[in-house]
């Protein structure tokens, strides 16, 4: 309703035109006639609809008026969306304020509903409930369903009206010219209940477009004068940087350099259609290229190396399958799986992968190659054995390249500049190699790099079983890297990332990219940082980067004929050094040894047995830790802080008073089949400790359920057994701080038959006082029984 007057103010003249056509029909059904000037005055008021309805005598008149307004709004819905999009940016900036107001508004509604329920005013209760649901749907939907906001469909409501109160609410909704908002996650289910018509099909199509193509939400609002300059500068900067990186990562993946350019051109035009990150630099990355090389640089069944054509087929097949897997993961919304992998495990794996990448490039730096083993530590051993083959020329040239790029990095940091060090290094190396014919001194060069668009080709599935493990590994790593980078940059700039949509965007980029000779891609830390620092505003910067690469392989590839391989290896070494996170290892060792242990297990396993098995072991380590903390949940005995009614862990809070006669125990974990027996064991253990230390027998046990967020049937069974046991022993068993979900489950399991309703407390102190009163009551009864027996 707040948006209606703004829309009417903007479209007042158009409504007047429509009014002139329908003037006679409206006037014949209204008591008080409107003139055009009167209506124009009313259009500037917030209660326009209310005035029209109040001045209508009959139901037909009200319907005529509301239909007239609804049709007018629907006709000019596009203009409304255009105007509303201008305030969308302000809405997002004030999201926290709006969220707070939303919560306060719902609290007020809940209080009104509760008050009217007490007064038995069902009419108001139904209306307030409907308002609450509508407001909640509006807030959740936001700007996603704008085409449906003011469209008018009376059948949507009347088909579901079952009671008089609901019909009254529906009539009120009709008077407001309002249609119920759609929740995008449930829209397909809701439409199954209604008769399918053109409007419902259009709504489904609109929802699908907004759901799967985020570009629709931002590209129409793109401000050319404000953003285009920044996006062009940032896109060209990263594009120049990606020329060198792309070719280097193609060599790392065991492919020809041109495939690095193919993977950095057309695919970068695909991601902005589906992705939600404005600054993500997608393309070839070191870790994914390394995983591809595990297949392309392996040997066939006869022990021979694969040909260049076979390597290319493997790489494109991997990209195609990675795309399919990621799209499937995005559609079934499997983004939550990232929560099962701890940060120390990921950091250890990434650090080990950086060492493996460095090993793969030593052949270009040292000037000799060795037998490539599947186990990285064996490759390192082979380099030591054959060190006599060392050549100083490529080593010196590579060292100069590394020092040159480090010098440019220092200049950038000191003077706040964005000089693309790798591309400068590439062109200077080409100039030196061409001038002094370095290929005659033991420094290998690229030779001929083809020019023009890549050939369109489909995947070849002749050896799918060979690439399947690598596909799953890359899909997982790709997801981790892309979500980690985009989420971090989104937090910095204050916009939200949708993980499942990012999976879809990355999947479509890999899937469609595989048809234009692109090997697997992911989000890059370095290029995302450069995009951000260079001032990129939207995904248009990524499109500009892709165009720069396309122009490069269309016209500039002959320039790279004399590019030394050692230069590309130097670029890779400089890039992957940032992946070695030794500071994280020191930090983990200082704060928690268990996390440091997980880091080292992940690092050592990856370096010893290879990248594929390393990630498997890393995942297993994470899951073992999850199970460990589930089986060994933190429990503590509580004591009262002196002078208060607050209860804390007696181990952490010095001077807490243990209340005599009972045990106060807290378990900070959900109670389910893995740890249910642990609770029973802990209670028995604390009972034995109490009996050995205190002369007063136990007469109460109170469980603090603050950390018990959930409970399953096994946990309920354990609580039932405890209740039955302590009822027989005459011990008071109580529960404090039980949340609503757990309380309902306890009630559904008939736990109230064993434990009275009066034994559930909102504070631990209330439970202690109730236990003492219960004990005093039983003592009085036993005294009366003794007196009666004596008498």
């Amino acid at each position: 309703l707040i948006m209606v007057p703004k829309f009417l103010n903007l479209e007042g003249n158009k409504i007047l035109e429509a009014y002139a056509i329908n003037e006679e029909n409206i006037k014949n059904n209204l008591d008080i006639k409107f003139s055009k000037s009167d209506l124009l005055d009313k259009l500037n008021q917030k209660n326009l609809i209310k005035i029209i309805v109040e001045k209508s005598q009959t139901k037909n008149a009200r319907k005529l008026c509301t239909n007239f307004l609804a049709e007018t709004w629907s006709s000019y819905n596009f203009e409304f969306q255009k105007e509303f999009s201008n305030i969308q940016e302000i809405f997002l900036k004030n999201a926290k304020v709006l969220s707070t107001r939303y919560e306060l508004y719902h609290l007020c509604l809940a209080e009104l509903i509760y008050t009217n329920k007490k007064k038995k005013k069902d009419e108001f209760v139904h209306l307030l409930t409907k308002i609450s649901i509508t407001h909640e749907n509006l807030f959740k939907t936001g700007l996603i369903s704008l085409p449906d906001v003011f469209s008018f469909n009376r059948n949507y409501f009347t088909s579901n009206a079952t009671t008089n109160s609901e019909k009254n609410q529906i009539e009120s909704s009709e008077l407001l010219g309002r249609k119920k908002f759609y929740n995008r996650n449930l829209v397909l289910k809701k439409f199954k209940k209604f008769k399918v018509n053109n409007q419902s099909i259009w709504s489904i199509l609109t929802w699908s477009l907004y759901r799967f193509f985020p570009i629709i939400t931002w590209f129409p609002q793109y401000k050319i004068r404000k953003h285009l300059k920044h996006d062009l500068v940032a896109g060209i900067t990263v594009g120049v940087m990606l020329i060198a990186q792309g070719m280097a990562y193609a060599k790392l993946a065991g492919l020809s350099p041109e495939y690095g350019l193919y993977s950095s051109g057309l695919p970068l035009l695909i991601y902005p259609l589906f992705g939600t990150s404005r600054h993500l630099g997608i393309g070839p990355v070191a870790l994914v290229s390394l995983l591809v090389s595990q297949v392309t640089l392996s040997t066939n069944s006869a022990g021979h190396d694969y040909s260049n054509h076979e390597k290319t087929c493997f790489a494109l097949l991997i990209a195609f399958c990675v795309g399919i897997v990621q799209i499937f993961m995005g559609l079934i919304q499997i983004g939550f799986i990232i929560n099962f992998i701890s940060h120390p495990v990921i950091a250890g794996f990434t650090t080990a992968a950086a060492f493996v990448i460095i090993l793969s490039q030593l052949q270009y730096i040292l000037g000799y190659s060795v037998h490539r083993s599947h186990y990285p530590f064996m490759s390192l051993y082979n380099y030591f054995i054959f060190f006599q083959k060392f050549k100083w020329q490529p080593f010196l040239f590579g060292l100069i390249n590394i020092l040159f790029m480090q010098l440019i990095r220092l200049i950038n940091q000191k003077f706040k500049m964005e000089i693309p060090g790798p591309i400068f290094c590439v062109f200077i190396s080409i100039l030196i190699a061409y001038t002094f014919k370095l290929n005659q001194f033991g420094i290998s060069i690229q030779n001929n790099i083809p020019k023009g668009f890549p050939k369109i080709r489909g995947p070849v599935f002749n050896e799918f079983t060979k690439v399947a493990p690598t596909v799953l590994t890359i899909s997982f790593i790709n997801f981790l890297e892309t979500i980690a980078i985009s989420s971090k940059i989104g937090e910095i700039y204050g916009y939200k990332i949708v993980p499942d949509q990012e999976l879809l965007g990355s999947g479509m980029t890999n899937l469609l990219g595989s048809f234009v000779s692109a090997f697997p891609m992911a989000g890059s830390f370095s290029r995302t940082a450069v995009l951000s620092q260079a001032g990129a505003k939207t995904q248009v910067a990524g499109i500009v980067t892709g165009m720069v690469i396309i122009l490069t392989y269309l016209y500039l590839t002959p320039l790279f004929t004399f590019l030394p391989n050692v230069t590309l290896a130097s670029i890779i070494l400089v890039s992957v050094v940032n992946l070695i996170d030794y500071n994280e290892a020191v930090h983990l060792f200082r704060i928690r040894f268990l996390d440091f242990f997980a880091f080292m297990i992940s690092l050592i396993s990856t370096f010893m047995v290879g990248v594929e098995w390393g990630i498997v072991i890393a995942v297993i380590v994470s899951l073992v830790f999850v199970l460990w903390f589930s089986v060994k949940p933190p429990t503590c005995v509580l004591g009262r802080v002196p002078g208060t009614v607050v209860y804390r862990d007696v181990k952490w809070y010095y001077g807490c008073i243990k209340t005599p006669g009972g045990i106060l125990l807290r378990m900070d974990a959900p109670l389910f089949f893995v740890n249910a027996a642990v609770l029973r064991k802990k209670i028995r253990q604390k009972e034995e400790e109490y009996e050995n230390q205190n002369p007063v027998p136990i007469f109460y046990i109170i469980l603090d359920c603050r950390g018990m967020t959930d409970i399953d049937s096994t946990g309920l069974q354990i609580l039932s057994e405890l209740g039955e046991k302590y009822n027989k022993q005459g011990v008071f068993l109580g529960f404090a701080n039980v949340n609503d979900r757990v309380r309902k489950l306890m009630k559904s399991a008939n736990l109230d038959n064993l434990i009275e309703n009066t034994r559930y407390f909102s504070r631990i102190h209330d439970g202690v006082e109730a236990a003492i009163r219960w004990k005093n009551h039983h003592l009085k009864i036993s005294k009366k029984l003794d007196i009666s027996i004596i008498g």
Side-chain angles (χ1 to χ4, degrees):
L1 289 179
I2 294 171
M3 294 184 290
V4 171
K6 181 174 179 63
F7 172 68
L8 293 177
N9 291 337
L10 295 169
E11 302 296 334
N13 293 329
K14 295 181 180 178
I15 290 181
L16 283 175
E17 294 173 7
Y19 172 78
I21 300 172
N22 296 276
E23 187 175 7
E24 292 300 322
N25 291 331
I26 295 177
K27 284 182 178 179
N28 293 334
N29 289 280
L30 291 177
D31 257 357
I32 299 175
K33 306 300 188 292
F34 282 112
S35 66
K36 293 183 181 180
S37 59
D38 291 335
L39 183 58
L40 185 58
D41 292 336
K42 302 300 180 185
L43 289 173
N44 296 322
Q45 298 180 12
K46 294 184 178 180
N47 56 351
L48 169 67
I49 300 174
K50 182 180 177 183
I51 291 174
I52 292 178
V53 173
E54 285 178 350
K55 294 180 179 180
S56 302
Q57 281 187 333
T58 64
K59 187 175 181 181
N60 291 331
R62 291 196 297 271
K63 285 188 176 181
L64 182 60
C65 291
T66 51
N67 284 340
F68 155 66
L69 289 174
E71 289 170 4
T72 307
W73 295 339
S74 181
S75 302
Y76 300 107
N77 191 27
F78 178 75
E79 286 80 358
F80 169 75
Q81 290 182 56
K82 186 176 179 181
E83 179 62 28
F84 189 74
S85 64
N86 294 332
I87 62 171
Q88 181 182 9
E89 189 174 347
I90 300 173
F91 173 82
L92 294 175
K93 288 181 180 178
N94 294 278
K96 291 184 179 179
V97 177
L98 290 172
S99 179
T100 305
R101 291 179 179 176
Y102 163 76
E103 296 294 340
L104 290 174
Y105 181 73
H106 265 272
L107 285 173
C108 293
L109 281 177
E111 186 177 356
L112 287 171
I113 292 170
Y114 179 75
T115 305
N116 283 284
K117 275 185 178 180
K118 272 192 169 183
K119 296 179 181 178
K120 296 184 178 179
K121 294 184 178 181
D122 295 335
E123 193 175 18
F124 291 101
V125 170
H126 286 298
L127 183 59
L128 289 169
T129 304
K130 204 75 174 179
I131 291 172
S132 178
I133 294 171
T134 303
H135 185 264
E136 185 176 358
N137 289 335
L138 171 62
F139 190 83
K140 286 182 178 178
T141 306
L143 303 175
I144 295 170
S145 299
L146 277 178
D148 300 325
V149 170
F150 285 105
S151 57
F152 188 72
N153 183 3
R154 210 163 43 248
N155 295 329
Y156 183 87
F157 297 100
T158 55
S159 61
N160 290 296
T162 55
T163 64
N164 291 330
S165 60
E166 288 179 350
K167 288 180 180 179
N168 291 335
Q169 296 170 49
I170 290 165
E171 187 175 84
S172 301
S173 300
E174 290 179 329
L175 293 177
L176 296 177
R178 174 181 61 82
K179 180 180 177 182
K180 187 174 181 180
F181 292 96
Y182 296 115
N183 183 329
R184 70 174 186 172
N185 295 326
L186 301 175
V187 67
L188 295 178
K189 294 181 181 179
K190 287 186 177 181
F191 272 104
K192 290 179 182 178
K193 300 179 182 178
F194 308 112
K195 183 179 179 180
V196 178
N197 51 37
N198 292 334
Q199 187 173 2
S200 64
I201 293 174
W202 174 251
S203 298
I204 294 173
L205 291 175
T206 303
W207 172 84
S208 300
L209 287 173
Y210 275 88
R211 167 66 176 84
F212 297 111
F213 295 91
I215 191 173
I216 299 175
T217 63
W218 64 266
F219 191 73
Q221 306 169 22
Y222 186 76
K223 300 175 182 179
I224 296 178
R225 292 184 179 179
K226 187 176 180 181
H227 293 157
L228 184 59
K229 178 182 176 181
H230 299 284
D231 287 337
L232 282 174
V233 172
I236 293 173
T237 302
V238 175
V240 172
M241 171 185 174
L242 187 54
I243 293 172
Q245 280 192 348
M247 292 190 293
Y249 292 146
K251 292 292 291 183
L252 175 60
L255 305 173
S256 301
E258 64 267 19
Y259 288 99
L261 298 176
Y262 299 155
S263 302
S264 309
L266 290 174
L268 268 68
L269 309 183
I270 299 171
Y271 174 78
L273 299 176
F274 304 95
T276 57
S277 176
R278 303 173 193 172
H279 300 85
L280 182 66
I282 200 165
V285 295
L287 192 54
V288 173
S289 300
L290 173 67
L291 292 168
V292 173
S293 70
Q294 304 297 305
V295 177
T296 57
L297 298 181
S298 61
T299 56
N300 56 25
S301 56
H304 301 295
D305 293 335
Y306 289 105
S307 64
N308 290 333
H309 176 72
E310 289 174 320
K311 292 178 182 178
T312 304
C313 290
F314 281 140
L316 302 187
L317 176 60
I318 292 171
F320 177 84
C321 295
V322 166
I324 293 293
V325 171
Q326 289 188 319
I327 291 171
F328 177 73
M329 291 168 67
L331 291 176
I332 65 174
Q333 298 184 351
I334 203 172
F336 67 90
I337 197 172
I338 192 175
N339 298 324
F340 288 95
I341 311 301
S342 66
H343 174 71
V345 169
I346 296 173
F349 171 78
T350 306
T351 302
F355 286 116
V356 176
I357 292 171
I358 292 172
L359 278 176
S360 68
Q361 299 303 301
L362 284 182
Q363 59 179 327
Y364 303 110
I365 299 293
L366 300 179
Y368 67 96
S369 60
V370 297
H371 175 69
R372 187 180 180 87
S373 173
H374 184 73
Y375 305 104
F377 77 95
M378 287 299 299
S379 298
L380 180 62
Y381 176 73
N382 291 334
Y383 275 112
F384 278 112
I385 291 178
F386 297 99
F387 191 74
Q388 65 272 14
K389 296 181 179 180
F390 170 77
K391 297 179 181 178
W392 64 269
Q393 297 94 333
F395 177 79
L396 179 61
F397 195 76
L399 185 61
I400 293 172
N401 280 316
I402 293 172
L403 292 175
F404 177 76
M405 284 184 282
Q406 291 296 330
L407 177 63
I408 292 180
R409 176 178 293 182
L410 292 175
I411 293 173
N412 289 338
Q413 291 176 355
K414 185 173 182 179
F415 298 102
K416 308 291 184 183
M417 301 175 68
E418 291 296 336
I419 302 174
I423 194 64
F424 270 90
C425 187
V426 164
F427 283 117
I428 293 174
S429 297
I430 292 173
L431 181 62
I432 294 174
Y434 177 76
T435 304
F436 298 102
K437 308 296 181 183
L438 294 183
N439 56 323
Q440 299 178 5
F441 297 94
I443 298 177
S444 60
I445 59 175
Q446 295 297 327
N447 293 322
N448 186 33
I449 297 179
K451 182 174 67 172
F453 273 109
K455 295 179 180 179
I456 297 178
R457 63 176 88 178
V460 180
F461 293 91
N462 54 351
E463 291 203 40
F464 176 74
T465 54
K466 184 177 182 64
V467 304
T470 304
V471 167
L472 295 177
T473 306
I474 291 178
S475 300
F476 180 74
I477 294 298
N478 191 332
F479 174 58
L480 288 179
E481 286 193 347
T482 302
I483 296 301
I485 300 167
S486 56
S487 298
K488 184 66 176 178
I489 202 72
E491 289 176 5
I492 294 173
Y493 286 92
Y495 60 87
K496 183 181 179 182
I497 296 299
V498 183
D500 297 315
Q501 187 63 34
E502 285 300 304
L503 270 173
L504 187 63
S506 179
M508 291 299 296
T509 303
N510 280 289
L511 175 65
L512 299 179
S514 67
F515 290 95
V516 290
S517 301
F519 63 91
M521 297 153 283
S524 166
F525 287 96
S526 59
R527 293 195 294 274
T528 301
V530 173
L531 275 173
S532 172
Q533 294 169 5
K537 301 297 181 183
T538 66
Q539 291 93 322
V540 171
I543 296 175
V544 173
T545 299
M547 296 302 297
V548 170
I549 302 299
I550 291 172
L551 293 175
T552 299
Y553 63 65
L554 284 180
Y555 303 107
L556 303 180
T557 51
L559 296 176
F560 300 107
T561 301
F562 281 87
L563 176 62
N565 287 318
V566 66
T567 300
L568 296 179
S570 302
I571 294 171
I572 292 174
L573 293 181
V574 171
S575 300
V576 301
V577 164
N578 296 324
L579 297 177
I580 302 175
D581 200 354
Y582 59 87
N583 289 327
E584 181 68 15
V586 175
H587 174 69
L588 293 174
F589 182 77
R590 288 177 178 174
I591 62 172
R592 198 178 189 206
F593 180 78
L594 194 60
D595 287 339
F596 173 76
F597 178 74
F599 176 93
M600 293 306 299
I601 287 291
S602 179
L603 188 152
I604 295 172
S605 61
T606 302
F607 190 77
M608 296 297 290
V609 300
V611 177
E612 293 95 337
W613 282 106
I615 190 63
V616 171
I617 294 173
V619 172
I620 293 174
V621 169
S622 290
L623 294 178
V624 166
F625 279 12
V626 171
L627 291 174
W628 173 264
F629 288 121
S630 298
V631 174
K632 300 288 186 181
T635 56
C636 62
V637 175
L638 303 177
R640 184 171 60 83
V641 178
T644 69
V645 292
V646 177
Y647 290 78
R648 292 291 184 264
D649 186 352
V650 295
K651 290 183 179 179
W652 290 98
Y653 289 83
Y654 178 76
C656 286
I657 303 171
K658 291 185 179 180
T659 308
I663 298 172
L664 304 176
L665 188 68
R666 185 179 73 203
M667 185 176 81
D668 295 321
L671 187 63
F672 61 115
F673 67 96
V674 175
N675 59 16
V678 176
L679 177 63
R680 180 168 52 188
K681 182 180 178 181
K682 283 288 182 182
I683 294 176
R684 189 185 305 116
Q685 179 183 344
K686 297 303 177 184
E687 282 186 77
E688 293 173 357
E689 291 178 2
Y690 180 90
E691 291 172 356
N692 294 332
Q693 298 174 3
N694 295 276
V696 181
I698 292 177
F699 66 87
Y700 73 89
I701 292 176
I702 296 177
L703 298 178
D704 182 9
C705 302
R706 190 188 308 273
M708 193 182 296
T709 55
D710 200 1
I711 188 171
D712 69 349
S713 57
T714 307
L716 291 169
Q717 179 64 30
I718 293 295
L719 293 183
S720 298
E721 293 175 2
L722 291 173
E724 187 175 354
K725 169 187 173 183
Y726 291 123
N727 283 341
K728 292 179 179 178
Q729 294 179 0
V731 176
F732 181 95
L733 177 62
F735 300 91
N737 301 311
V738 183
N739 65 44
D740 293 338
R741 174 181 174 80
V742 175
R743 182 70 186 92
K744 288 178 182 178
L745 291 171
M746 288 180 173
K747 190 173 182 180
S748 64
N750 298 322
L751 204 61
D752 292 348
N753 296 338
L754 296 171
I755 303 169
E756 301 173 3
N757 285 328
T758 56
R759 297 190 181 183
Y760 294 91
F761 309 100
S762 58
R763 296 189 310 170
I764 300 174
H765 190 70
D766 295 337
V768 174
E769 290 181 337
I772 294 172
R773 289 195 299 269
W774 175 85
K775 182 63 176 178
N776 291 334
H777 176 69
H778 280 268
L779 287 174
K780 289 178 182 179
I781 294 175
S782 62
K783 285 181 181 180
K784 289 180 181 179
L785 289 174
D786 292 341
I787 292 170
S788 62
I789 291 171
I790 293 171

